[in-house]
Short mmCIF file of all heavy atoms in Angstrom, two decimals:
data_model
loop_
_atom_site.label_atom_id
_atom_site.label_comp_id
_atom_site.label_asym_id
_atom_site.label_seq_id
_atom_site.Cartn_x
_atom_site.Cartn_y
_atom_site.Cartn_z
N LEU A 245 77.46 142.34 232.05
CA LEU A 245 76.18 142.30 232.75
C LEU A 245 76.31 142.86 234.16
O LEU A 245 75.44 143.59 234.64
CB LEU A 245 75.66 140.86 232.80
CG LEU A 245 75.18 140.27 231.47
CD1 LEU A 245 74.98 138.77 231.60
CD2 LEU A 245 73.91 140.95 230.99
N MET A 246 77.41 142.52 234.86
CA MET A 246 77.60 143.01 236.22
C MET A 246 77.75 144.53 236.25
O MET A 246 77.43 145.17 237.24
CB MET A 246 78.83 142.36 236.85
CG MET A 246 78.66 140.89 237.20
SD MET A 246 77.45 140.60 238.52
CE MET A 246 78.21 141.44 239.90
N SER A 247 78.25 145.10 235.16
CA SER A 247 78.42 146.55 235.12
C SER A 247 77.09 147.28 234.88
O SER A 247 76.99 148.48 235.13
CB SER A 247 79.42 146.95 234.03
OG SER A 247 78.86 146.77 232.74
N ARG A 248 76.08 146.57 234.39
CA ARG A 248 74.82 147.21 234.02
C ARG A 248 73.70 146.97 235.03
O ARG A 248 72.75 147.74 235.08
CB ARG A 248 74.35 146.68 232.65
CG ARG A 248 75.17 147.16 231.49
CD ARG A 248 74.70 146.53 230.18
NE ARG A 248 73.31 146.82 229.90
CZ ARG A 248 72.89 147.88 229.24
NH1 ARG A 248 73.76 148.76 228.79
NH2 ARG A 248 71.59 148.06 229.00
N TYR A 249 73.80 145.92 235.83
CA TYR A 249 72.71 145.54 236.73
C TYR A 249 73.25 145.31 238.14
O TYR A 249 74.43 144.99 238.31
CB TYR A 249 72.02 144.26 236.22
CG TYR A 249 71.41 144.41 234.85
CD1 TYR A 249 72.08 143.94 233.73
CD2 TYR A 249 70.18 145.04 234.67
CE1 TYR A 249 71.54 144.09 232.46
CE2 TYR A 249 69.63 145.19 233.40
CZ TYR A 249 70.32 144.71 232.30
OH TYR A 249 69.78 144.86 231.05
N PRO A 250 72.39 145.44 239.16
CA PRO A 250 72.83 145.16 240.53
C PRO A 250 73.31 143.71 240.67
O PRO A 250 72.83 142.80 240.00
CB PRO A 250 71.56 145.38 241.36
CG PRO A 250 70.72 146.29 240.54
CD PRO A 250 70.99 145.93 239.11
N ALA A 251 74.28 143.51 241.54
CA ALA A 251 74.84 142.17 241.74
C ALA A 251 73.77 141.17 242.13
O ALA A 251 73.79 140.00 241.72
CB ALA A 251 75.93 142.22 242.82
N ALA A 252 72.79 141.62 242.93
CA ALA A 252 71.73 140.72 243.38
C ALA A 252 70.84 140.26 242.24
O ALA A 252 70.17 139.23 242.35
CB ALA A 252 70.88 141.40 244.46
N GLN A 253 70.83 141.00 241.13
CA GLN A 253 70.00 140.62 240.00
C GLN A 253 70.74 139.69 239.04
O GLN A 253 70.16 138.77 238.47
CB GLN A 253 69.54 141.86 239.24
CG GLN A 253 68.58 141.57 238.07
CD GLN A 253 68.07 142.82 237.40
OE1 GLN A 253 68.40 143.93 237.82
NE2 GLN A 253 67.26 142.66 236.38
N VAL A 254 72.05 139.90 238.88
CA VAL A 254 72.82 139.12 237.92
C VAL A 254 73.33 137.81 238.52
O VAL A 254 73.22 136.74 237.91
CB VAL A 254 74.01 139.95 237.39
CG1 VAL A 254 74.88 139.10 236.45
CG2 VAL A 254 73.52 141.19 236.68
N ALA A 255 73.88 137.88 239.73
CA ALA A 255 74.53 136.71 240.31
C ALA A 255 73.65 135.47 240.39
O ALA A 255 74.13 134.36 240.11
CB ALA A 255 75.07 137.06 241.71
N PRO A 256 72.37 135.57 240.75
CA PRO A 256 71.56 134.35 240.85
C PRO A 256 71.41 133.58 239.54
O PRO A 256 71.15 132.38 239.57
CB PRO A 256 70.19 134.86 241.34
CG PRO A 256 70.51 136.12 242.07
CD PRO A 256 71.62 136.73 241.29
N PHE A 257 71.59 134.23 238.39
CA PHE A 257 71.48 133.50 237.14
C PHE A 257 72.52 132.38 237.05
O PHE A 257 72.29 131.35 236.40
CB PHE A 257 71.64 134.45 235.95
CG PHE A 257 70.39 135.19 235.59
CD1 PHE A 257 70.20 136.49 236.03
CD2 PHE A 257 69.41 134.59 234.83
CE1 PHE A 257 69.05 137.19 235.71
CE2 PHE A 257 68.24 135.28 234.50
CZ PHE A 257 68.07 136.59 234.94
N SER A 258 73.65 132.57 237.70
CA SER A 258 74.70 131.56 237.64
C SER A 258 74.28 130.26 238.31
O SER A 258 74.90 129.21 238.08
CB SER A 258 75.98 132.08 238.31
OG SER A 258 75.77 132.26 239.70
N LEU A 259 73.22 130.28 239.11
CA LEU A 259 72.74 129.05 239.74
C LEU A 259 72.12 128.09 238.72
O LEU A 259 71.84 126.94 239.05
CB LEU A 259 71.73 129.39 240.84
CG LEU A 259 72.32 130.12 242.05
CD1 LEU A 259 71.22 130.57 242.99
CD2 LEU A 259 73.30 129.24 242.80
N LEU A 260 71.91 128.54 237.51
CA LEU A 260 71.47 127.63 236.45
C LEU A 260 72.62 126.79 235.90
O LEU A 260 72.40 125.81 235.20
CB LEU A 260 70.82 128.41 235.31
CG LEU A 260 69.39 128.92 235.55
CD1 LEU A 260 68.97 129.82 234.41
CD2 LEU A 260 68.43 127.75 235.69
N ILE A 261 73.84 127.21 236.16
CA ILE A 261 75.01 126.51 235.61
C ILE A 261 75.03 125.03 236.00
O ILE A 261 75.39 124.18 235.17
CB ILE A 261 76.31 127.22 236.05
CG1 ILE A 261 76.40 128.58 235.38
CG2 ILE A 261 77.53 126.38 235.72
CD1 ILE A 261 77.53 129.45 235.88
N PRO A 262 74.65 124.65 237.24
CA PRO A 262 74.68 123.22 237.58
C PRO A 262 73.79 122.34 236.71
O PRO A 262 74.06 121.14 236.58
CB PRO A 262 74.20 123.20 239.03
CG PRO A 262 74.56 124.54 239.56
CD PRO A 262 74.37 125.48 238.41
N VAL A 263 72.74 122.89 236.13
CA VAL A 263 71.89 122.09 235.24
C VAL A 263 72.74 121.55 234.09
O VAL A 263 72.70 120.35 233.76
CB VAL A 263 70.72 122.92 234.70
CG1 VAL A 263 69.92 122.13 233.68
CG2 VAL A 263 69.82 123.39 235.84
N ILE A 264 73.54 122.43 233.48
CA ILE A 264 74.43 122.02 232.40
C ILE A 264 75.59 121.20 232.96
O ILE A 264 75.97 120.17 232.39
CB ILE A 264 74.96 123.24 231.64
CG1 ILE A 264 73.81 124.10 231.12
CG2 ILE A 264 75.88 122.81 230.50
CD1 ILE A 264 72.91 123.38 230.16
N GLY A 265 76.16 121.66 234.06
CA GLY A 265 77.32 120.99 234.63
C GLY A 265 77.05 119.56 235.04
O GLY A 265 77.82 118.64 234.72
N LEU A 266 75.95 119.33 235.75
CA LEU A 266 75.61 117.98 236.19
C LEU A 266 75.28 117.08 235.01
O LEU A 266 75.72 115.92 234.95
CB LEU A 266 74.44 118.03 237.17
CG LEU A 266 74.74 118.56 238.57
CD1 LEU A 266 73.44 118.82 239.33
CD2 LEU A 266 75.61 117.57 239.35
N ALA A 267 74.52 117.60 234.06
CA ALA A 267 74.13 116.80 232.90
C ALA A 267 75.35 116.44 232.05
O ALA A 267 75.51 115.29 231.61
CB ALA A 267 73.10 117.55 232.06
N ALA A 268 76.23 117.42 231.83
CA ALA A 268 77.41 117.16 231.01
C ALA A 268 78.36 116.19 231.70
O ALA A 268 78.93 115.30 231.06
CB ALA A 268 78.13 118.48 230.72
N ALA A 269 78.52 116.32 233.02
CA ALA A 269 79.41 115.42 233.76
C ALA A 269 78.87 113.99 233.75
O ALA A 269 79.63 113.03 233.63
CB ALA A 269 79.59 115.91 235.19
N ALA A 270 77.56 113.86 233.86
CA ALA A 270 76.96 112.52 233.83
C ALA A 270 77.10 111.90 232.44
O ALA A 270 77.45 110.72 232.30
CB ALA A 270 75.49 112.59 234.23
N ALA A 271 76.85 112.68 231.40
CA ALA A 271 76.87 112.15 230.03
C ALA A 271 78.28 111.90 229.53
O ALA A 271 78.53 110.89 228.84
CB ALA A 271 76.15 113.12 229.10
N LEU A 272 79.23 112.77 229.86
CA LEU A 272 80.56 112.70 229.27
C LEU A 272 81.61 112.06 230.18
O LEU A 272 82.59 111.50 229.69
CB LEU A 272 81.03 114.10 228.87
CG LEU A 272 80.13 114.83 227.86
CD1 LEU A 272 80.64 116.25 227.61
CD2 LEU A 272 80.04 114.05 226.56
N LEU A 273 81.41 112.17 231.49
CA LEU A 273 82.40 111.63 232.44
C LEU A 273 81.86 110.46 233.25
O LEU A 273 82.61 109.84 234.01
CB LEU A 273 82.88 112.73 233.39
CG LEU A 273 83.52 113.97 232.75
CD1 LEU A 273 83.89 114.98 233.82
CD2 LEU A 273 84.75 113.58 231.93
N GLY A 274 80.57 110.17 233.14
CA GLY A 274 79.98 109.08 233.90
C GLY A 274 79.83 109.36 235.38
O GLY A 274 79.71 108.42 236.18
N GLU A 275 79.80 110.64 235.77
CA GLU A 275 79.65 111.01 237.18
C GLU A 275 78.17 110.94 237.57
O GLU A 275 77.34 111.61 236.96
CB GLU A 275 80.19 112.42 237.44
CG GLU A 275 81.68 112.56 237.27
CD GLU A 275 82.16 113.97 237.57
OE1 GLU A 275 81.33 114.83 237.93
OE2 GLU A 275 83.37 114.22 237.43
N MET A 276 77.87 110.16 238.59
CA MET A 276 76.49 110.02 239.03
C MET A 276 76.39 110.44 240.50
O MET A 276 76.84 109.71 241.38
CB MET A 276 76.02 108.57 238.86
CG MET A 276 76.04 108.09 237.42
SD MET A 276 75.04 109.13 236.31
CE MET A 276 73.41 108.89 237.02
N PRO A 277 75.83 111.62 240.78
CA PRO A 277 75.68 112.05 242.18
C PRO A 277 74.69 111.17 242.92
O PRO A 277 73.83 110.52 242.31
CB PRO A 277 75.17 113.49 242.05
CG PRO A 277 74.52 113.53 240.70
CD PRO A 277 75.30 112.59 239.83
N THR A 278 74.79 111.17 244.25
CA THR A 278 73.87 110.41 245.07
C THR A 278 72.52 111.11 245.12
O THR A 278 72.39 112.28 244.75
CB THR A 278 74.41 110.26 246.49
OG1 THR A 278 74.47 111.56 247.10
CG2 THR A 278 75.81 109.63 246.50
N ALA A 279 71.51 110.39 245.59
CA ALA A 279 70.17 110.97 245.67
C ALA A 279 70.13 112.23 246.54
O ALA A 279 69.51 113.24 246.15
CB ALA A 279 69.18 109.92 246.19
N PRO A 280 70.75 112.24 247.74
CA PRO A 280 70.74 113.48 248.52
C PRO A 280 71.45 114.63 247.81
O PRO A 280 71.04 115.79 247.94
CB PRO A 280 71.48 113.10 249.81
CG PRO A 280 71.27 111.62 249.93
CD PRO A 280 71.31 111.12 248.52
N GLN A 281 72.50 114.33 247.05
CA GLN A 281 73.19 115.39 246.32
C GLN A 281 72.30 115.96 245.21
O GLN A 281 72.30 117.16 244.97
CB GLN A 281 74.50 114.86 245.74
CG GLN A 281 75.56 114.65 246.82
CD GLN A 281 76.76 113.88 246.32
OE1 GLN A 281 76.72 113.22 245.28
NE2 GLN A 281 77.85 113.96 247.06
N VAL A 282 71.54 115.09 244.56
CA VAL A 282 70.58 115.57 243.57
C VAL A 282 69.53 116.45 244.25
O VAL A 282 69.15 117.50 243.74
CB VAL A 282 69.91 114.38 242.84
CG1 VAL A 282 68.77 114.88 241.96
CG2 VAL A 282 70.93 113.63 242.01
N GLY A 283 69.06 116.01 245.43
CA GLY A 283 68.11 116.82 246.18
C GLY A 283 68.68 118.17 246.56
O GLY A 283 67.99 119.20 246.48
N GLY A 284 69.97 118.19 246.93
CA GLY A 284 70.61 119.46 247.24
C GLY A 284 70.69 120.36 246.02
O GLY A 284 70.46 121.57 246.12
N ALA A 285 70.98 119.77 244.86
CA ALA A 285 71.02 120.56 243.63
C ALA A 285 69.65 121.15 243.31
O ALA A 285 69.54 122.29 242.85
CB ALA A 285 71.52 119.70 242.47
#
Side-chain angles (χ1 to χ4, degrees):
L245 290 168
M246 289 294 297
S247 72
R248 289 176 59 88
Y249 299 99
Q253 184 176 358
V254 177
F257 278 99
S258 66
L259 292 172
L260 283 172
I261 292 171
V263 175
I264 304 299
L266 287 168
L272 301 176
L273 302 178
E275 293 181 2
M276 298 303 297
T278 65
Q281 288 169 342
V282 172

